[in-house]
Amino acid sequence: MSYRNQLLPMEKVFRDPVHDYVYIQHQIILDLINTSEFQRLRRIKQLGTTSLTFHGAEQSRFGHCLGVYEVTRRICDNFERNYPTKTPGDGGWDDHERIVALCAALLHDIGHGPYSHTFEHIFHTDHEALTVQILTSPETEVNQVLRRVSPEFPGQVATVIQKTYPNPQVVQMISSQIDADRMDYLLRDSYFTGTNYGNFDLTRILRVMKPYAGGITFAMEGMHAVEDYIVSRFQMYMQVYFHPVSRSMEVILDHLLERANDLYQNHDVDAEATPHMLLPFFNNDFTLKDYLRLDDGVLNTYFNHWRDSQDKILADLSTRFLDRRPLKSARIDDQTKALVPELQKLIERAGFNSHYYTAINDSYDLPYDAYDPKMKKPRTQIELMQEDGSLVELSTVSDLVRAITGKVSGDQRFFFPKEMLSGSPEVDLFDPIYQDFQQHIQNDRLIS
């Protein structure tokens, strides 16, 4: 039997709190899990700063990637059993695609860095591009495992991540508005945050998934399970992913890394606290090896060093991040946004550098969006298959989904030091400044 389809002598399992068991049946999947690049994902939190709001959210990208693999494996099993292809082009499932789908599912997040989205913002990295690089670079263990299938196989798996793989069924399994990635992270993040918002009937959704020539669709009788999934996703974004405290800690992390970078660029960094493993990123000249050495622990270690920095801003931001001292925030709109410069001046007068201690942060999401070819990145819409085999787009038959289709949810917030609300009992000098500031905050909103 070729390496591509080589089965383990005995099926291996990972115990998983979300899926009960993750079943490993192929040698290539076990070999990929055992690579150094995949094991690194154990040291990167799935939800970044969210664990500072929901203390149980300590899960890693390692567990999420195993979960996406498991959901994809179940989809493949369902398709192979119930919808196998009989003649070329009939829209059925060709099980020769299983291994490329499973490898792409397992490896889809392997390019994430520490505190990934904040890190990307500061250092202009791209986790999807780095994922492709990890898959295709001969220097990685992942590439060496994939090449045992064929020299072309790493590139084939990479095109699934890039959404250019010729079979849309495989692409949509991993990346669409209802895919293995989203289904796992909603259930997993709901479980670990201790919330119930992200729960939906995964088993039912997998039962009603069907392959067709244009990708993946859902049986009409499964519409309510799909509705439940979309509402769960909406609730998780509103209640968990967009939580103001998590965003506040992200702002601190963002400004902390920015301050360290600024000090380095101005040759003003403490010699004993020089972040040697970050210098390639400060210099915008890093290799894949440099990137793969980073994880959450590396950054946290530097933050601990920087607590004692001679630079007061760097030391204070490091302490605020490590000791969980979030900034406060208030909602703003187009009208009250004009007040921000005036409030930043008050914050400066109170002794804070407004560049590093304030921010405008917005979090918006479309719970569901029908396909619009005019969008920069058109979304794959969710289609339902009727009894006669014809397809209908979800929002045309679901009143619930139609009500939220294209509706942007989220808010825009102005973040500022908590001290501006409480005042400082030691320093009466600033009381008028605090009072002036506080009269612009009411019921979590900026007011004129």
Side-chain angles (χ1 to χ4, degrees), residues 13 29 52 71 106 117 124 139 143 145 156 159 215 220-221 229 270 308 318 341 378 383 393 397 429 432:
V13 293
I29 298 299
L52 296 166
V71 173
L106 185 74
H117 298 298
H124 311 294
E139 65 189 81
N143 177 267
V145 170
Q156 290 173 357
T159 60
M220 180 62 80
E221 63 266 23
Y229 157 85
D270 305 343
D308 300 320
S318 298
E383 295 186 302
E393 191 271 317
V397 289
L429 176 67

mmCIF file of all heavy atoms in Angstrom, residues 13 29 52 71 106 117 124 139 143 145 156 159 215 220-221 229 270 308 318 341 378 383 393 397 429 432:
data_model
loop_
_atom_site.group_PDB
_atom_site.id
_atom_site.type_symbol
_atom_site.label_atom_id
_atom_site.label_comp_id
_atom_site.label_asym_id
_atom_site.label_seq_id
_atom_site.Cartn_x
_atom_site.Cartn_y
_atom_site.Cartn_z
ATOM 1 N N VAL A 13 -6.168 7.020 19.103
ATOM 2 C CA VAL A 13 -7.165 8.030 19.459
ATOM 3 C C VAL A 13 -6.550 9.081 20.382
ATOM 4 O O VAL A 13 -5.627 8.798 21.137
ATOM 5 C CB VAL A 13 -8.405 7.412 20.161
ATOM 6 C CG1 VAL A 13 -9.180 6.532 19.215
ATOM 7 C CG2 VAL A 13 -8.014 6.670 21.433
ATOM 8 N N ILE A 29 -1.089 11.051 8.879
ATOM 9 C CA ILE A 29 -1.672 11.982 9.855
ATOM 10 C C ILE A 29 -0.897 11.912 11.169
ATOM 11 O O ILE A 29 -0.546 12.951 11.758
ATOM 12 C CB ILE A 29 -3.173 11.684 10.085
ATOM 13 C CG1 ILE A 29 -3.959 11.871 8.777
ATOM 14 C CG2 ILE A 29 -3.744 12.570 11.186
ATOM 15 C CD1 ILE A 29 -3.919 13.271 8.196
ATOM 16 N N LEU A 52 -7.945 36.011 29.381
ATOM 17 C CA LEU A 52 -7.897 37.026 30.439
ATOM 18 C C LEU A 52 -9.298 37.546 30.771
ATOM 19 O O LEU A 52 -9.478 38.290 31.731
ATOM 20 C CB LEU A 52 -6.981 38.175 30.015
ATOM 21 C CG LEU A 52 -5.514 37.764 29.833
ATOM 22 C CD1 LEU A 52 -4.726 38.836 29.093
ATOM 23 C CD2 LEU A 52 -4.872 37.455 31.171
ATOM 24 N N VAL A 71 -13.581 16.556 12.465
ATOM 25 C CA VAL A 71 -14.835 16.908 11.789
ATOM 26 C C VAL A 71 -14.720 16.572 10.300
ATOM 27 O O VAL A 71 -15.651 16.009 9.697
ATOM 28 C CB VAL A 71 -15.177 18.402 11.988
ATOM 29 C CG1 VAL A 71 -16.387 18.800 11.143
ATOM 30 C CG2 VAL A 71 -15.456 18.690 13.466
ATOM 31 N N LEU A 106 -5.935 19.269 9.095
ATOM 32 C CA LEU A 106 -5.005 19.191 10.226
ATOM 33 C C LEU A 106 -4.050 20.374 10.250
ATOM 34 O O LEU A 106 -3.735 20.921 11.317
ATOM 35 C CB LEU A 106 -4.212 17.881 10.143
ATOM 36 C CG LEU A 106 -3.275 17.594 11.315
ATOM 37 C CD1 LEU A 106 -4.074 17.176 12.546
ATOM 38 C CD2 LEU A 106 -2.261 16.510 10.948
ATOM 39 N N HIS A 117 -3.218 37.428 15.910
ATOM 40 C CA HIS A 117 -3.741 38.571 15.168
ATOM 41 C C HIS A 117 -3.046 39.872 15.580
ATOM 42 O O HIS A 117 -2.783 40.739 14.745
ATOM 43 C CB HIS A 117 -5.253 38.651 15.341
ATOM 44 C CG HIS A 117 -5.949 37.419 14.797
ATOM 45 N ND1 HIS A 117 -5.880 37.072 13.465
ATOM 46 C CD2 HIS A 117 -6.658 36.436 15.405
ATOM 47 C CE1 HIS A 117 -6.539 35.948 13.279
ATOM 48 N NE2 HIS A 117 -7.017 35.541 14.430
ATOM 49 N N HIS A 124 3.293 42.760 10.490
ATOM 50 C CA HIS A 124 2.845 42.589 9.105
ATOM 51 C C HIS A 124 3.148 41.193 8.569
ATOM 52 O O HIS A 124 3.563 41.025 7.417
ATOM 53 C CB HIS A 124 3.477 43.663 8.200
ATOM 54 C CG HIS A 124 3.335 45.044 8.747
ATOM 55 N ND1 HIS A 124 2.104 45.684 8.892
ATOM 56 C CD2 HIS A 124 4.249 45.922 9.251
ATOM 57 C CE1 HIS A 124 2.279 46.879 9.419
ATOM 58 N NE2 HIS A 124 3.567 47.051 9.649
ATOM 59 N N GLU A 139 12.707 22.784 4.142
ATOM 60 C CA GLU A 139 13.395 22.747 5.439
ATOM 61 C C GLU A 139 12.489 22.311 6.587
ATOM 62 O O GLU A 139 12.967 22.109 7.703
ATOM 63 C CB GLU A 139 14.002 24.126 5.753
ATOM 64 C CG GLU A 139 12.974 25.227 5.948
ATOM 65 C CD GLU A 139 13.599 26.613 6.031
ATOM 66 O OE1 GLU A 139 13.912 27.193 4.988
ATOM 67 O OE2 GLU A 139 13.763 27.106 7.162
ATOM 68 N N ASN A 143 6.836 19.429 5.499
ATOM 69 C CA ASN A 143 7.064 19.249 4.064
ATOM 70 C C ASN A 143 7.665 17.890 3.770
ATOM 71 O O ASN A 143 7.268 17.202 2.814
ATOM 72 C CB ASN A 143 7.977 20.358 3.525
ATOM 73 C CG ASN A 143 8.309 20.177 2.053
ATOM 74 O OD1 ASN A 143 9.326 19.584 1.705
ATOM 75 N ND2 ASN A 143 7.443 20.672 1.184
ATOM 76 N N VAL A 145 7.327 15.129 5.423
ATOM 77 C CA VAL A 145 6.298 14.087 5.547
ATOM 78 C C VAL A 145 5.384 14.100 4.323
ATOM 79 O O VAL A 145 5.103 13.050 3.722
ATOM 80 C CB VAL A 145 5.464 14.284 6.843
ATOM 81 C CG1 VAL A 145 4.257 13.352 6.851
ATOM 82 C CG2 VAL A 145 6.331 14.047 8.077
ATOM 83 N N GLN A 156 -0.258 20.601 -3.411
ATOM 84 C CA GLN A 156 -1.702 20.321 -3.510
ATOM 85 C C GLN A 156 -2.410 20.681 -2.204
ATOM 86 O O GLN A 156 -3.480 21.305 -2.215
ATOM 87 C CB GLN A 156 -1.926 18.846 -3.851
ATOM 88 C CG GLN A 156 -1.512 18.469 -5.258
ATOM 89 C CD GLN A 156 -1.596 16.970 -5.502
ATOM 90 O OE1 GLN A 156 -1.917 16.193 -4.611
ATOM 91 N NE2 GLN A 156 -1.296 16.555 -6.734
ATOM 92 N N THR A 159 -2.779 24.395 -1.879
ATOM 93 C CA THR A 159 -3.825 25.036 -2.684
ATOM 94 C C THR A 159 -5.201 24.901 -2.035
ATOM 95 O O THR A 159 -6.094 25.709 -2.316
ATOM 96 C CB THR A 159 -3.876 24.469 -4.123
ATOM 97 O OG1 THR A 159 -4.135 23.062 -4.079
ATOM 98 C CG2 THR A 159 -2.587 24.755 -4.876
ATOM 99 N N GLY A 215 -19.659 21.937 -5.059
ATOM 100 C CA GLY A 215 -19.105 22.008 -3.706
ATOM 101 C C GLY A 215 -19.911 21.201 -2.711
ATOM 102 O O GLY A 215 -20.136 20.002 -2.897
ATOM 103 N N MET A 220 -32.596 19.987 2.494
ATOM 104 C CA MET A 220 -33.587 20.968 2.932
ATOM 105 C C MET A 220 -34.096 20.681 4.335
ATOM 106 O O MET A 220 -34.332 21.602 5.126
ATOM 107 C CB MET A 220 -34.754 20.992 1.929
ATOM 108 C CG MET A 220 -35.854 21.979 2.284
ATOM 109 S SD MET A 220 -35.285 23.699 2.330
ATOM 110 C CE MET A 220 -35.289 24.086 0.584
ATOM 111 N N GLU A 221 -34.232 19.404 4.685
ATOM 112 C CA GLU A 221 -34.769 19.078 6.017
ATOM 113 C C GLU A 221 -33.798 19.442 7.142
ATOM 114 O O GLU A 221 -34.158 19.409 8.321
ATOM 115 C CB GLU A 221 -35.141 17.593 6.101
ATOM 116 C CG GLU A 221 -33.992 16.606 5.946
ATOM 117 C CD GLU A 221 -33.813 16.129 4.510
ATOM 118 O OE1 GLU A 221 -34.248 16.851 3.568
ATOM 119 O OE2 GLU A 221 -33.237 15.037 4.323
ATOM 120 N N TYR A 229 -26.842 26.840 13.892
ATOM 121 C CA TYR A 229 -25.404 27.074 13.781
ATOM 122 C C TYR A 229 -25.115 28.559 13.552
ATOM 123 O O TYR A 229 -24.234 29.144 14.185
ATOM 124 C CB TYR A 229 -24.840 26.224 12.635
ATOM 125 C CG TYR A 229 -23.549 26.745 12.043
ATOM 126 C CD1 TYR A 229 -22.317 26.422 12.606
ATOM 127 C CD2 TYR A 229 -23.561 27.576 10.920
ATOM 128 C CE1 TYR A 229 -21.133 26.914 12.068
ATOM 129 C CE2 TYR A 229 -22.390 28.065 10.372
ATOM 130 C CZ TYR A 229 -21.178 27.741 10.946
ATOM 131 O OH TYR A 229 -20.018 28.233 10.419
ATOM 132 N N ASP A 270 16.972 48.660 26.438
ATOM 133 C CA ASP A 270 17.910 48.221 27.478
ATOM 134 C C ASP A 270 18.701 47.019 26.970
ATOM 135 O O ASP A 270 18.120 46.047 26.481
ATOM 136 C CB ASP A 270 17.155 47.796 28.753
ATOM 137 C CG ASP A 270 16.242 48.899 29.261
ATOM 138 O OD1 ASP A 270 16.431 50.048 28.844
ATOM 139 O OD2 ASP A 270 15.360 48.600 30.080
ATOM 140 N N ASP A 308 10.956 45.464 34.224
ATOM 141 C CA ASP A 308 12.023 46.215 34.877
ATOM 142 C C ASP A 308 12.734 47.163 33.922
ATOM 143 O O ASP A 308 13.828 47.642 34.213
ATOM 144 C CB ASP A 308 13.050 45.242 35.476
ATOM 145 C CG ASP A 308 12.422 44.315 36.501
ATOM 146 O OD1 ASP A 308 11.582 44.786 37.291
ATOM 147 O OD2 ASP A 308 12.749 43.109 36.500
ATOM 148 N N SER A 318 3.882 46.376 30.083
ATOM 149 C CA SER A 318 4.180 44.968 30.364
ATOM 150 C C SER A 318 3.485 44.511 31.641
ATOM 151 O O SER A 318 2.895 43.424 31.697
ATOM 152 C CB SER A 318 5.693 44.760 30.499
ATOM 153 O OG SER A 318 6.360 45.081 29.303
ATOM 154 N N PRO A 341 -10.195 63.380 20.075
ATOM 155 C CA PRO A 341 -8.985 64.217 20.237
ATOM 156 C C PRO A 341 -9.021 65.067 21.505
ATOM 157 O O PRO A 341 -7.986 65.222 22.184
ATOM 158 C CB PRO A 341 -8.995 65.090 18.984
ATOM 159 C CG PRO A 341 -9.751 64.303 17.970
ATOM 160 C CD PRO A 341 -10.817 63.588 18.751
ATOM 161 N N PRO A 378 -15.571 37.427 -2.134
ATOM 162 C CA PRO A 378 -16.936 36.919 -2.060
ATOM 163 C C PRO A 378 -17.024 35.680 -1.168
ATOM 164 O O PRO A 378 -16.153 34.811 -1.212
ATOM 165 C CB PRO A 378 -17.263 36.566 -3.516
ATOM 166 C CG PRO A 378 -16.283 37.324 -4.335
ATOM 167 C CD PRO A 378 -15.055 37.448 -3.494
ATOM 168 N N GLU A 383 -26.117 26.802 0.558
ATOM 169 C CA GLU A 383 -27.212 26.390 -0.313
ATOM 170 C C GLU A 383 -27.864 25.120 0.208
ATOM 171 O O GLU A 383 -27.191 24.240 0.754
ATOM 172 C CB GLU A 383 -26.704 26.185 -1.740
ATOM 173 C CG GLU A 383 -26.213 27.482 -2.376
ATOM 174 C CD GLU A 383 -25.836 27.328 -3.835
ATOM 175 O OE1 GLU A 383 -24.963 26.492 -4.112
ATOM 176 O OE2 GLU A 383 -26.394 28.038 -4.668
ATOM 177 N N GLU A 393 -30.623 29.287 -2.106
ATOM 178 C CA GLU A 393 -29.736 29.945 -1.130
ATOM 179 C C GLU A 393 -30.484 30.098 0.189
ATOM 180 O O GLU A 393 -31.670 30.415 0.219
ATOM 181 C CB GLU A 393 -29.304 31.288 -1.705
ATOM 182 C CG GLU A 393 -28.188 31.961 -0.930
ATOM 183 C CD GLU A 393 -28.742 32.834 0.185
ATOM 184 O OE1 GLU A 393 -29.725 33.559 -0.058
ATOM 185 O OE2 GLU A 393 -28.201 32.769 1.299
ATOM 186 N N VAL A 397 -35.082 31.110 1.944
ATOM 187 C CA VAL A 397 -36.109 30.216 2.498
ATOM 188 C C VAL A 397 -36.172 30.272 4.026
ATOM 189 O O VAL A 397 -37.098 29.732 4.622
ATOM 190 C CB VAL A 397 -35.887 28.755 2.044
ATOM 191 C CG1 VAL A 397 -36.203 28.605 0.562
ATOM 192 C CG2 VAL A 397 -34.471 28.286 2.342
ATOM 193 N N LEU A 429 -4.337 67.171 42.318
ATOM 194 C CA LEU A 429 -4.048 68.101 41.239
ATOM 195 C C LEU A 429 -4.847 67.776 39.970
ATOM 196 O O LEU A 429 -5.263 68.665 39.228
ATOM 197 C CB LEU A 429 -2.536 68.050 40.942
ATOM 198 C CG LEU A 429 -2.002 68.871 39.774
ATOM 199 C CD1 LEU A 429 -2.149 70.354 40.077
ATOM 200 C CD2 LEU A 429 -0.539 68.522 39.511
ATOM 201 N N PRO A 432 -9.805 67.980 38.581
ATOM 202 C CA PRO A 432 -10.622 68.662 37.564
ATOM 203 C C PRO A 432 -10.527 67.990 36.190
ATOM 204 O O PRO A 432 -11.509 67.955 35.442
ATOM 205 C CB PRO A 432 -10.033 70.073 37.524
ATOM 206 C CG PRO A 432 -9.334 70.248 38.829
ATOM 207 C CD PRO A 432 -8.820 68.892 39.192
#
